[in-house]
Amino acid sequence: MTKGVADPCKILVGIERIIRHEDNELLLAPYREEEIEITLKGMGPTKAPGPDGFPALFYQSTDIVLIPKVPKPTQLVNFRPISLCSVIYKVVAKTIANRLQTIMDKCIDKVQSTFVPGRLITDNVLLAYEILHTIKQKRLGKKGVMTVKLDMCKEYDRVEWRFIEEVMIKMGFACEWVELLRRCVTSVNYAININGRRGDLFQPSRGFRQGDPLSPFLFLICSEGLSSLMRMARRNGLIKGIKASRQGPAVSHLLFADDCIIFGEASHIGAKIMKGVLQDYETCSGQCVNFSKSTIIFSLNSTEEVKAEVSRLLGVRVATNPERYLGLPNMIGRRKKESISKRIDGWSNRMLSQGGKEVFIKSALQAIPTFAMSCFLLPNFLCKKMEGIFAKFWWQKGKGRKGIHWCKWRYLCKPKNEGGMGFRNMAQFNIALLAKRGWRSSYAWRSIWAARGILEKWIIWKVGSGERISIVHDSWVPDLVNSRFLSSYSGSSDNKVVELINNQTREWKREVVEDTFRADEADKILCIPLAKHPHEDLRVWRADPTGVFSVKSTYKLLQNVDPSAYAIQIIYCDFYKKL
């Protein structure tokens, strides 16, 4: 039940008008048939269909299923409520969400790293680790710093609808668009499904549904209220944030969807300001911090008196072992192995077929370390240890019953059309994930550096309007990657491709090219088509026909260059594809 919304003016001051007139025109344009088709194709065919699969009402009537979070639940908080959205509603909501996500990058603060196209949660993870490293090294100075990891109470269930409307209007969304979203959110009726029995319908007054395609985006708009308060506090000099380096930007907070980390000064005043910001956010948005589950970490120069006072004022406990709580690299190995073994123990007693084991390994077991491998280079022995656990589970005949390993695990990691089972080689998959980090950012971290060789070999430049690509240092002729042919160029190493192009006719300067390079090299350059209209230079990933980097194409590339892999006759590959 809603508690009402306090006057949100204090929060709305920090919300800027981002949405332009053309953005609203795009959002409010009539929906096209191809949009509906894209939505249908983008929905998982077996993911949580509605109660009957085809409801009579256009807007859904939703069941709430209570999933127990503990073996013997005794209170309502021991359950996780999951809403079953009907299929027709999902088509409607997903189509609307597809439009909304095209402009989310404009209206959502950069500190939020999830559910926004072009951003990854691992961006903020790496930034958080860098700041935590800075805090751990801070031993000098009169004032200490702190990191508060907040745990929100049932974040989706508590969001106030009116607050979302106020924020969206302040951002510049058209009233018609806000009304459309309001109807999607407020027109739902719930029924509690307990032990297979469906209760009476009732209508909620706040909150979003789990499984609703719109919910993640609307929740991000809600979290802009917290970002607004933090921005205003920084402008007023109340919060300074923490720098990972002297010349770097100060970071006051990072958002991971419904999780939040706040950085600030470890003092009575700093804690009081932080508490006030969180209280203002709660009274307006409905979001409530669970301080009993939240934790705080202090820099080494913080006194015990300050730690005790700040912890008491905020009502959060002090993390005695930040590495263990936050899962720093030296703890990843043991925790991941324990998690995998525990998951296997829970399923070993069930009579899984070999096909069931395949699905379980691919969808559950191998997904456990993916998040850690996206940020850190795991030791090779740890990857082998995990693969040994997978192989033991694959070949065993039951819990505690060993089976014969009929072939090596690396052979099972080959694609099915090459005679394998399509399992992941964990070390290669780790490198592929880190290569994505290198593609998106730089080579600043040691783990990402491991993927440097892949990127250097398979990135090419596609020249555009500026053509400011270095002739010597950048790969811009596809068939001559890593070739030293450009050393014959008589100019300095800073010469650019633009010097070889006539920008008036948008053609190569044939005489200059032929006089500068060898005949075979010049022919390859002159065959490169130039854009008729100016555009920025861009990178192209050679391992994928689309030119877009993907973990899948990188992993496949690593498999193909694996010298230990065996080859299968092409006739069997073609047969499997037909099959």
Side-chain angles (χ1 to χ4, degrees), residues 471-526:
I471 286 183
V472 174
H473 297 106
D474 295 308
S475 300
W476 55 281
V477 183
D479 293 336
L480 294 172
V481 175
N482 290 337
S483 172
R484 296 187 177 275
F485 79 104
L486 294 173
S487 61
S488 63
Y489 186 53
S490 59
S492 68
S493 62
D494 292 330
N495 286 316
K496 306 295 181 180
V497 180
V498 68
E499 299 169 13
L500 307 176
I501 298 174
N502 186 328
N503 274 325
Q504 300 297 325
T505 61
R506 299 300 298 166
E507 295 177 348
W508 292 102
K509 297 178 181 178
R510 177 175 291 273
E511 293 183 358
V512 176
V513 173
E514 291 176 344
D515 291 342
T516 303
F517 306 103
R518 297 197 307 262
D520 59 326
E521 299 165 353
D523 290 340
K524 293 181 183 297
I525 295 174
L526 294 173

CSV table of all heavy atoms in Angstrom, one decimal, residues 471-526:
chain,number,residue,atom,x,y,z
A,471,ILE,N,49.3,6.2,-40.6
A,471,ILE,CA,49.7,5.2,-41.6
A,471,ILE,C,50.5,4.1,-41.1
A,471,ILE,O,50.5,3.0,-41.5
A,471,ILE,CB,50.4,6.0,-42.8
A,471,ILE,CG1,49.4,6.8,-43.6
A,471,ILE,CG2,51.1,5.0,-43.7
A,471,ILE,CD1,50.0,7.5,-44.7
A,472,VAL,N,51.4,4.4,-40.1
A,472,VAL,CA,52.3,3.4,-39.6
A,472,VAL,C,51.7,2.6,-38.5
A,472,VAL,O,51.9,1.4,-38.4
A,472,VAL,CB,53.6,4.1,-39.1
A,472,VAL,CG1,54.5,3.1,-38.4
A,472,VAL,CG2,54.3,4.8,-40.3
A,473,HIS,N,51.0,3.2,-37.6
A,473,HIS,CA,50.6,2.5,-36.3
A,473,HIS,C,49.2,1.9,-36.4
A,473,HIS,O,48.8,1.2,-35.5
A,473,HIS,CB,50.6,3.5,-35.2
A,473,HIS,CG,52.0,4.0,-34.9
A,473,HIS,ND1,52.4,5.3,-35.3
A,473,HIS,CD2,53.1,3.4,-34.4
A,473,HIS,CE1,53.7,5.4,-34.9
A,473,HIS,NE2,54.2,4.3,-34.4
A,474,ASP,N,48.3,2.2,-37.4
A,474,ASP,CA,47.0,1.7,-37.4
A,474,ASP,C,46.8,0.7,-38.6
A,474,ASP,O,47.3,1.0,-39.7
A,474,ASP,CB,46.0,2.8,-37.5
A,474,ASP,CG,46.0,3.7,-36.3
A,474,ASP,OD1,45.9,3.1,-35.2
A,474,ASP,OD2,46.1,4.9,-36.4
A,475,SER,N,46.0,-0.4,-38.4
A,475,SER,CA,45.7,-1.3,-39.4
A,475,SER,C,44.5,-0.8,-40.2
A,475,SER,O,43.4,-0.8,-39.7
A,475,SER,CB,45.5,-2.7,-38.8
A,475,SER,OG,46.6,-3.1,-38.1
A,476,TRP,N,44.7,-0.3,-41.4
A,476,TRP,CA,43.6,0.2,-42.2
A,476,TRP,C,43.5,-0.5,-43.6
A,476,TRP,O,42.5,-0.2,-44.3
A,476,TRP,CB,43.7,1.7,-42.3
A,476,TRP,CG,45.0,2.2,-42.9
A,476,TRP,CD1,46.2,2.3,-42.3
A,476,TRP,CD2,45.2,2.6,-44.3
A,476,TRP,NE1,47.1,2.7,-43.2
A,476,TRP,CE2,46.6,2.9,-44.4
A,476,TRP,CE3,44.4,2.7,-45.4
A,476,TRP,CZ2,47.1,3.4,-45.6
A,476,TRP,CZ3,45.0,3.1,-46.6
A,476,TRP,CH2,46.3,3.4,-46.7
A,477,VAL,N,44.4,-1.3,-43.9
A,477,VAL,CA,44.3,-2.1,-45.2
A,477,VAL,C,44.0,-3.5,-44.7
A,477,VAL,O,44.9,-4.2,-44.2
A,477,VAL,CB,45.6,-2.0,-46.0
A,477,VAL,CG1,45.4,-2.8,-47.3
A,477,VAL,CG2,45.9,-0.5,-46.2
A,478,PRO,N,42.8,-4.0,-44.9
A,478,PRO,CA,42.4,-5.3,-44.4
A,478,PRO,C,43.3,-6.5,-44.7
A,478,PRO,O,43.6,-7.3,-43.8
A,478,PRO,CB,41.0,-5.6,-45.0
A,478,PRO,CG,40.5,-4.2,-45.3
A,478,PRO,CD,41.7,-3.4,-45.6
A,479,ASP,N,43.8,-6.6,-45.9
A,479,ASP,CA,44.7,-7.7,-46.3
A,479,ASP,C,46.1,-7.6,-45.9
A,479,ASP,O,46.9,-8.5,-46.2
A,479,ASP,CB,44.6,-7.9,-47.8
A,479,ASP,CG,43.2,-8.3,-48.3
A,479,ASP,OD1,42.5,-8.9,-47.4
A,479,ASP,OD2,42.9,-8.1,-49.4
A,480,LEU,N,46.5,-6.5,-45.2
A,480,LEU,CA,47.9,-6.3,-44.9
A,480,LEU,C,48.0,-6.0,-43.4
A,480,LEU,O,48.9,-5.2,-43.0
A,480,LEU,CB,48.5,-5.2,-45.7
A,480,LEU,CG,48.6,-5.4,-47.2
A,480,LEU,CD1,49.0,-4.2,-47.9
A,480,LEU,CD2,49.6,-6.5,-47.5
A,481,VAL,N,47.2,-6.6,-42.5
A,481,VAL,CA,47.2,-6.4,-41.1
A,481,VAL,C,48.6,-7.0,-40.6
A,481,VAL,O,49.0,-8.1,-41.0
A,481,VAL,CB,46.1,-7.1,-40.4
A,481,VAL,CG1,46.2,-7.0,-38.9
A,481,VAL,CG2,44.8,-6.5,-40.9
A,482,ASN,N,49.2,-6.2,-39.7
A,482,ASN,CA,50.5,-6.6,-39.1
A,482,ASN,C,51.6,-6.6,-40.1
A,482,ASN,O,52.7,-7.2,-39.8
A,482,ASN,CB,50.4,-7.9,-38.4
A,482,ASN,CG,49.5,-7.8,-37.1
A,482,ASN,OD1,49.4,-6.7,-36.6
A,482,ASN,ND2,49.0,-9.0,-36.7
A,483,SER,N,51.4,-6.1,-41.3
A,483,SER,CA,52.5,-6.1,-42.3
A,483,SER,C,53.4,-4.9,-42.1
A,483,SER,O,52.9,-3.8,-41.6
A,483,SER,CB,51.9,-6.1,-43.7
A,483,SER,OG,52.9,-5.8,-44.6
A,484,ARG,N,54.6,-5.0,-42.4
A,484,ARG,CA,55.5,-3.8,-42.3
A,484,ARG,C,55.7,-3.1,-43.6
A,484,ARG,O,56.7,-2.3,-43.8
A,484,ARG,CB,56.9,-4.3,-41.8
A,484,ARG,CG,56.8,-5.0,-40.4
A,484,ARG,CD,58.2,-5.3,-39.9
A,484,ARG,NE,58.2,-5.8,-38.5
A,484,ARG,CZ,58.2,-5.1,-37.4
A,484,ARG,NH1,58.2,-3.8,-37.5
A,484,ARG,NH2,58.2,-5.6,-36.2
A,485,PHE,N,54.7,-3.3,-44.5
A,485,PHE,CA,54.9,-2.6,-45.8
A,485,PHE,C,54.9,-1.1,-45.7
A,485,PHE,O,55.4,-0.4,-46.5
A,485,PHE,CB,53.7,-3.1,-46.7
A,485,PHE,CG,52.4,-2.4,-46.5
A,485,PHE,CD1,52.0,-1.4,-47.3
A,485,PHE,CD2,51.7,-2.7,-45.4
A,485,PHE,CE1,50.8,-0.8,-47.1
A,485,PHE,CE2,50.5,-2.1,-45.2
A,485,PHE,CZ,50.0,-1.1,-46.0
A,486,LEU,N,54.2,-0.6,-44.7
A,486,LEU,CA,54.1,0.9,-44.6
A,486,LEU,C,55.4,1.6,-44.2
A,486,LEU,O,55.5,2.8,-44.3
A,486,LEU,CB,53.0,1.2,-43.6
A,486,LEU,CG,51.6,0.8,-44.0
A,486,LEU,CD1,50.6,1.0,-42.8
A,486,LEU,CD2,51.1,1.5,-45.2
A,487,SER,N,56.4,0.8,-43.8
A,487,SER,CA,57.7,1.4,-43.5
A,487,SER,C,58.3,2.1,-44.7
A,487,SER,O,59.3,2.9,-44.5
A,487,SER,CB,58.6,0.4,-42.8
A,487,SER,OG,58.8,-0.6,-43.7
A,488,SER,N,57.9,1.7,-45.9
A,488,SER,CA,58.5,2.3,-47.1
A,488,SER,C,58.0,3.7,-47.3
A,488,SER,O,58.5,4.4,-48.2
A,488,SER,CB,58.1,1.4,-48.3
A,488,SER,OG,56.7,1.4,-48.5
A,489,TYR,N,57.0,4.1,-46.5
A,489,TYR,CA,56.5,5.4,-46.7
A,489,TYR,C,57.6,6.5,-46.3
A,489,TYR,O,58.2,6.4,-45.3
A,489,TYR,CB,55.2,5.6,-45.8
A,489,TYR,CG,54.5,7.0,-46.0
A,489,TYR,CD1,54.2,7.4,-47.3
A,489,TYR,CD2,54.2,7.8,-45.0
A,489,TYR,CE1,53.5,8.5,-47.5
A,489,TYR,CE2,53.6,9.0,-45.2
A,489,TYR,CZ,53.2,9.4,-46.4
A,489,TYR,OH,52.6,10.5,-46.6
A,490,SER,N,57.8,7.4,-47.2
A,490,SER,CA,59.0,8.3,-47.1
A,490,SER,C,58.8,9.4,-46.0
A,490,SER,O,59.7,10.0,-45.6
A,490,SER,CB,59.3,8.9,-48.4
A,490,SER,OG,58.2,9.7,-48.9
A,491,GLY,N,57.5,9.6,-45.6
A,491,GLY,CA,57.3,10.7,-44.6
A,491,GLY,C,57.6,10.2,-43.2
A,491,GLY,O,58.1,9.1,-43.0
A,492,SER,N,57.2,11.0,-42.2
A,492,SER,CA,57.4,10.7,-40.8
A,492,SER,C,56.3,9.7,-40.4
A,492,SER,O,55.3,9.4,-41.1
A,492,SER,CB,57.3,11.9,-40.0
A,492,SER,OG,56.0,12.5,-40.0
A,493,SER,N,56.5,9.2,-39.2
A,493,SER,CA,55.5,8.2,-38.6
A,493,SER,C,54.2,8.8,-38.3
A,493,SER,O,53.2,8.1,-38.0
A,493,SER,CB,56.1,7.5,-37.4
A,493,SER,OG,56.3,8.5,-36.4
A,494,ASP,N,54.1,10.1,-38.3
A,494,ASP,CA,52.8,10.8,-37.9
A,494,ASP,C,52.0,11.1,-39.2
A,494,ASP,O,50.9,11.7,-39.0
A,494,ASP,CB,53.1,12.1,-37.2
A,494,ASP,CG,53.7,11.8,-35.8
A,494,ASP,OD1,53.4,10.8,-35.3
A,494,ASP,OD2,54.5,12.7,-35.4
A,495,ASN,N,52.4,10.7,-40.3
A,495,ASN,CA,51.6,10.9,-41.5
A,495,ASN,C,50.3,10.2,-41.4
A,495,ASN,O,50.2,9.1,-40.9
A,495,ASN,CB,52.3,10.5,-42.8
A,495,ASN,CG,53.4,11.5,-43.1
A,495,ASN,OD1,53.2,12.7,-43.1
A,495,ASN,ND2,54.6,11.0,-43.4
A,496,LYS,N,49.2,10.8,-42.0
A,496,LYS,CA,47.9,10.2,-41.9
A,496,LYS,C,47.3,9.8,-43.3
A,496,LYS,O,47.8,10.3,-44.3
A,496,LYS,CB,46.9,11.3,-41.3
A,496,LYS,CG,47.4,11.8,-40.0
A,496,LYS,CD,47.5,10.8,-38.9
A,496,LYS,CE,47.9,11.4,-37.6
A,496,LYS,NZ,48.0,10.4,-36.5
A,497,VAL,N,46.3,8.9,-43.2
A,497,VAL,CA,45.7,8.5,-44.4
A,497,VAL,C,45.0,9.6,-45.2
A,497,VAL,O,44.9,9.6,-46.4
A,497,VAL,CB,44.6,7.4,-44.1
A,497,VAL,CG1,44.0,6.9,-45.4
A,497,VAL,CG2,45.3,6.2,-43.4
A,498,VAL,N,44.6,10.6,-44.5
A,498,VAL,CA,43.9,11.8,-45.1
A,498,VAL,C,44.8,12.4,-46.2
A,498,VAL,O,44.2,13.0,-47.2
A,498,VAL,CB,43.5,12.8,-44.1
A,498,VAL,CG1,44.7,13.5,-43.5
A,498,VAL,CG2,42.5,13.8,-44.6
A,499,GLU,N,46.1,12.3,-46.1
A,499,GLU,CA,47.0,12.9,-47.0
A,499,GLU,C,47.0,12.1,-48.4
A,499,GLU,O,47.5,12.7,-49.4
A,499,GLU,CB,48.4,12.9,-46.5
A,499,GLU,CG,48.5,13.7,-45.2
A,499,GLU,CD,49.8,13.5,-44.5
A,499,GLU,OE1,50.8,13.0,-45.1
A,499,GLU,OE2,50.0,13.9,-43.3
A,500,LEU,N,46.4,11.0,-48.4
A,500,LEU,CA,46.3,10.2,-49.6
A,500,LEU,C,44.9,10.3,-50.3
A,500,LEU,O,44.7,9.6,-51.3
A,500,LEU,CB,46.5,8.7,-49.3
A,500,LEU,CG,47.8,8.4,-48.5
A,500,LEU,CD1,47.9,6.9,-48.2
A,500,LEU,CD2,49.1,8.8,-49.3
A,501,ILE,N,44.1,11.2,-49.8
A,501,ILE,CA,42.7,11.2,-50.3
A,501,ILE,C,42.4,12.7,-50.8
A,501,ILE,O,42.7,13.6,-50.1
A,501,ILE,CB,41.7,10.8,-49.2
A,501,ILE,CG1,41.9,9.4,-48.8
A,501,ILE,CG2,40.2,11.0,-49.7
A,501,ILE,CD1,41.1,8.9,-47.6
A,502,ASN,N,41.7,12.7,-51.9
A,502,ASN,CA,41.2,14.0,-52.4
A,502,ASN,C,39.8,14.2,-51.8
A,502,ASN,O,38.8,13.6,-52.2
A,502,ASN,CB,41.1,14.0,-53.9
A,502,ASN,CG,40.7,15.4,-54.5
A,502,ASN,OD1,40.0,16.1,-53.9
A,502,ASN,ND2,41.2,15.7,-55.7
A,503,ASN,N,39.6,15.1,-50.8
A,503,ASN,CA,38.4,15.3,-50.2
A,503,ASN,C,37.3,15.9,-51.0
A,503,ASN,O,36.1,15.9,-50.7
A,503,ASN,CB,38.6,16.1,-48.9
A,503,ASN,CG,39.0,15.2,-47.7
A,503,ASN,OD1,38.5,14.1,-47.6
A,503,ASN,ND2,39.8,15.7,-46.9
A,504,GLN,N,37.7,16.6,-52.1
A,504,GLN,CA,36.7,17.2,-53.0
A,504,GLN,C,36.0,16.2,-53.8
A,504,GLN,O,34.8,16.2,-53.9
A,504,GLN,CB,37.5,18.3,-53.9
A,504,GLN,CG,38.2,19.4,-53.1
A,504,GLN,CD,37.2,20.2,-52.4
A,504,GLN,OE1,36.1,20.5,-52.8
A,504,GLN,NE2,37.7,20.7,-51.2
A,505,THR,N,36.8,15.3,-54.4
A,505,THR,CA,36.2,14.2,-55.3
A,505,THR,C,35.9,13.0,-54.5
A,505,THR,O,35.2,12.1,-55.1
A,505,THR,CB,37.1,13.9,-56.4
A,505,THR,OG1,38.3,13.4,-55.9
A,505,THR,CG2,37.4,15.2,-57.3
A,506,ARG,N,36.3,12.9,-53.3
A,506,ARG,CA,36.2,11.7,-52.4
A,506,ARG,C,36.8,10.4,-53.1
A,506,ARG,O,36.2,9.4,-53.2
A,506,ARG,CB,34.7,11.4,-52.1
A,506,ARG,CG,34.1,12.5,-51.3
A,506,ARG,CD,34.8,12.7,-50.0
A,506,ARG,NE,34.7,11.5,-49.1
A,506,ARG,CZ,35.5,11.4,-48.0
A,506,ARG,NH1,36.4,12.3,-47.7
A,506,ARG,NH2,35.4,10.3,-47.3
A,507,GLU,N,38.0,10.6,-53.7
A,507,GLU,CA,38.7,9.6,-54.4
A,507,GLU,C,40.2,9.6,-53.9
A,507,GLU,O,40.7,10.5,-53.3
A,507,GLU,CB,38.7,9.8,-55.9
A,507,GLU,CG,37.4,9.7,-56.5
A,507,GLU,CD,37.4,10.0,-58.0
A,507,GLU,OE1,38.5,10.5,-58.5
A,507,GLU,OE2,36.4,9.8,-58.7
A,508,TRP,N,40.8,8.4,-54.1
A,508,TRP,CA,42.2,8.3,-53.7
A,508,TRP,C,43.1,9.1,-54.6
A,508,TRP,O,42.8,9.3,-55.8
A,508,TRP,CB,42.7,6.8,-53.8
A,508,TRP,CG,42.1,5.9,-52.8
A,508,TRP,CD1,41.1,5.1,-53.0
A,508,TRP,CD2,42.5,5.8,-51.4
A,508,TRP,NE1,40.8,4.4,-51.8
A,508,TRP,CE2,41.6,4.9,-50.8
A,508,TRP,CE3,43.4,6.5,-50.6
A,508,TRP,CZ2,41.7,4.5,-49.4
A,508,TRP,CZ3,43.5,6.1,-49.2
A,508,TRP,CH2,42.6,5.2,-48.7
A,509,LYS,N,44.2,9.7,-54.1
A,509,LYS,CA,45.2,10.4,-54.9
A,509,LYS,C,46.1,9.3,-55.5
A,509,LYS,O,47.1,8.9,-55.0
A,509,LYS,CB,46.0,11.4,-54.1
A,509,LYS,CG,45.2,12.5,-53.5
A,509,LYS,CD,46.0,13.4,-52.7
A,509,LYS,CE,45.2,14.5,-52.0
A,509,LYS,NZ,46.1,15.4,-51.2
A,510,ARG,N,45.6,8.8,-56.7
A,510,ARG,CA,46.3,7.7,-57.3
A,510,ARG,C,47.8,7.8,-57.5
A,510,ARG,O,48.6,6.9,-57.1
A,510,ARG,CB,45.6,7.4,-58.7
A,510,ARG,CG,46.3,6.2,-59.4
A,510,ARG,CD,45.5,5.9,-60.7
A,510,ARG,NE,44.2,5.3,-60.4
A,510,ARG,CZ,44.0,4.0,-60.2
A,510,ARG,NH1,45.0,3.2,-60.3
A,510,ARG,NH2,42.8,3.6,-59.9
A,511,GLU,N,48.2,9.0,-58.0
A,511,GLU,CA,49.6,9.2,-58.2
A,511,GLU,C,50.4,9.2,-56.9
A,511,GLU,O,51.5,8.6,-56.9
A,511,GLU,CB,49.9,10.5,-58.9
A,511,GLU,CG,49.3,10.5,-60.4
A,511,GLU,CD,49.6,11.8,-61.1
A,511,GLU,OE1,50.2,12.7,-60.4
A,511,GLU,OE2,49.2,12.0,-62.2
A,512,VAL,N,49.9,9.8,-55.9
A,512,VAL,CA,50.6,9.8,-54.6
A,512,VAL,C,50.7,8.4,-54.0
A,512,VAL,O,51.7,8.0,-53.5
A,512,VAL,CB,49.8,10.7,-53.6
A,512,VAL,CG1,50.5,10.7,-52.2
A,512,VAL,CG2,49.8,12.2,-54.1
A,513,VAL,N,49.6,7.6,-54.1
A,513,VAL,CA,49.6,6.3,-53.6
A,513,VAL,C,50.6,5.4,-54.3
A,513,VAL,O,51.4,4.7,-53.7
A,513,VAL,CB,48.2,5.6,-53.7
A,513,VAL,CG1,48.2,4.2,-53.3
A,513,VAL,CG2,47.2,6.4,-52.8
A,514,GLU,N,50.6,5.5,-55.7
A,514,GLU,CA,51.5,4.7,-56.5
A,514,GLU,C,52.9,5.0,-56.3
A,514,GLU,O,53.8,4.2,-56.4
A,514,GLU,CB,51.1,4.7,-58.0
A,514,GLU,CG,49.7,4.1,-58.2
A,514,GLU,CD,49.3,4.3,-59.7
A,514,GLU,OE1,49.9,5.1,-60.4
A,514,GLU,OE2,48.4,3.5,-60.1
A,515,ASP,N,53.2,6.3,-56.1
A,515,ASP,CA,54.6,6.8,-55.8
A,515,ASP,C,55.1,6.4,-54.4
A,515,ASP,O,56.3,6.4,-54.2
A,515,ASP,CB,54.7,8.3,-56.1
A,515,ASP,CG,54.5,8.7,-57.5
A,515,ASP,OD1,54.6,7.8,-58.4
A,515,ASP,OD2,54.2,9.9,-57.8
A,516,THR,N,54.2,6.2,-53.5
A,516,THR,CA,54.5,6.0,-52.1
A,516,THR,C,54.8,4.6,-51.8
A,516,THR,O,55.7,4.2,-51.0
A,516,THR,CB,53.4,6.6,-51.2
A,516,THR,OG1,53.2,8.0,-51.5
A,516,THR,CG2,53.8,6.5,-49.7
A,517,PHE,N,53.9,3.7,-52.3
A,517,PHE,CA,53.9,2.3,-51.9
A,517,PHE,C,54.3,1.4,-53.1
A,517,PHE,O,54.3,1.8,-54.3
A,517,PHE,CB,52.6,1.9,-51.4
A,517,PHE,CG,52.1,2.7,-50.3
A,517,PHE,CD1,51.1,3.7,-50.5
A,517,PHE,CD2,52.6,2.6,-49.0
A,517,PHE,CE1,50.6,4.5,-49.5
A,517,PHE,CE2,52.1,3.4,-48.0
A,517,PHE,CZ,51.1,4.4,-48.2
A,518,ARG,N,54.7,0.1,-52.7
A,518,ARG,CA,54.9,-0.8,-53.8
A,518,ARG,C,53.7,-1.1,-54.6
A,518,ARG,O,52.6,-0.8,-54.2
A,518,ARG,CB,55.4,-2.2,-53.1
A,518,ARG,CG,56.7,-2.0,-52.4
A,518,ARG,CD,57.3,-3.4,-52.1
A,518,ARG,NE,56.4,-4.3,-51.5
A,518,ARG,CZ,56.3,-4.6,-50.2
A,518,ARG,NH1,57.2,-4.0,-49.4
A,518,ARG,NH2,55.4,-5.5,-49.8
A,519,ALA,N,53.8,-1.7,-55.7
A,519,ALA,CA,52.7,-1.9,-56.7
A,519,ALA,C,51.6,-2.7,-56.1
A,519,ALA,O,50.4,-2.3,-56.2
A,519,ALA,CB,53.2,-2.5,-58.0
A,520,ASP,N,52.0,-3.8,-55.4
A,520,ASP,CA,50.9,-4.7,-54.9
A,520,ASP,C,50.2,-4.0,-53.7
A,520,ASP,O,49.0,-4.2,-53.5
A,520,ASP,CB,51.5,-6.0,-54.4
A,520,ASP,CG,52.6,-5.8,-53.4
A,520,ASP,OD1,53.3,-4.8,-53.5
A,520,ASP,OD2,52.8,-6.7,-52.5
A,521,GLU,N,51.0,-3.2,-53.0
A,521,GLU,CA,50.4,-2.5,-51.8
A,521,GLU,C,49.5,-1.4,-52.3
A,521,GLU,O,48.4,-1.2,-51.8
A,521,GLU,CB,51.5,-1.9,-51.0
A,521,GLU,CG,52.4,-3.0,-50.4
A,521,GLU,CD,53.7,-2.4,-49.8
A,521,GLU,OE1,54.0,-1.2,-50.0
A,521,GLU,OE2,54.5,-3.1,-49.2
A,522,ALA,N,49.9,-0.7,-53.3
A,522,ALA,CA,49.1,0.4,-53.9
A,522,ALA,C,47.8,-0.1,-54.5
A,522,ALA,O,46.7,0.5,-54.3
A,522,ALA,CB,49.9,1.1,-55.0
A,523,ASP,N,47.8,-1.3,-55.1
A,523,ASP,CA,46.6,-1.9,-55.7
A,523,ASP,C,45.6,-2.2,-54.6
A,523,ASP,O,44.4,-1.9,-54.8
A,523,ASP,CB,46.9,-3.1,-56.4
A,523,ASP,CG,47.7,-2.8,-57.7
A,523,ASP,OD1,47.6,-1.7,-58.2
A,523,ASP,OD2,48.4,-3.8,-58.3
A,524,LYS,N,46.1,-2.7,-53.5
A,524,LYS,CA,45.2,-3.0,-52.4
A,524,LYS,C,44.5,-1.7,-51.8
A,524,LYS,O,43.4,-1.7,-51.4
A,524,LYS,CB,45.9,-3.8,-51.3
A,524,LYS,CG,46.3,-5.2,-51.7
A,524,LYS,CD,47.0,-5.9,-50.6
A,524,LYS,CE,47.5,-7.3,-51.0
A,524,LYS,NZ,46.4,-8.2,-51.5
A,525,ILE,N,45.3,-0.7,-51.7
A,525,ILE,CA,44.8,0.6,-51.1
A,525,ILE,C,43.8,1.2,-52.0
A,525,ILE,O,42.7,1.6,-51.6
A,525,ILE,CB,46.0,1.5,-50.9
A,525,ILE,CG1,46.9,1.0,-49.8
A,525,ILE,CG2,45.5,2.9,-50.5
A,525,ILE,CD1,48.2,1.8,-49.6
A,526,LEU,N,44.1,1.2,-53.3
A,526,LEU,CA,43.2,1.8,-54.3
A,526,LEU,C,41.9,1.0,-54.4
A,526,LEU,O,40.9,1.6,-54.9
A,526,LEU,CB,43.9,1.9,-55.7
A,526,LEU,CG,45.1,2.9,-55.7
A,526,LEU,CD1,45.8,2.8,-57.1
A,526,LEU,CD2,44.6,4.3,-55.5
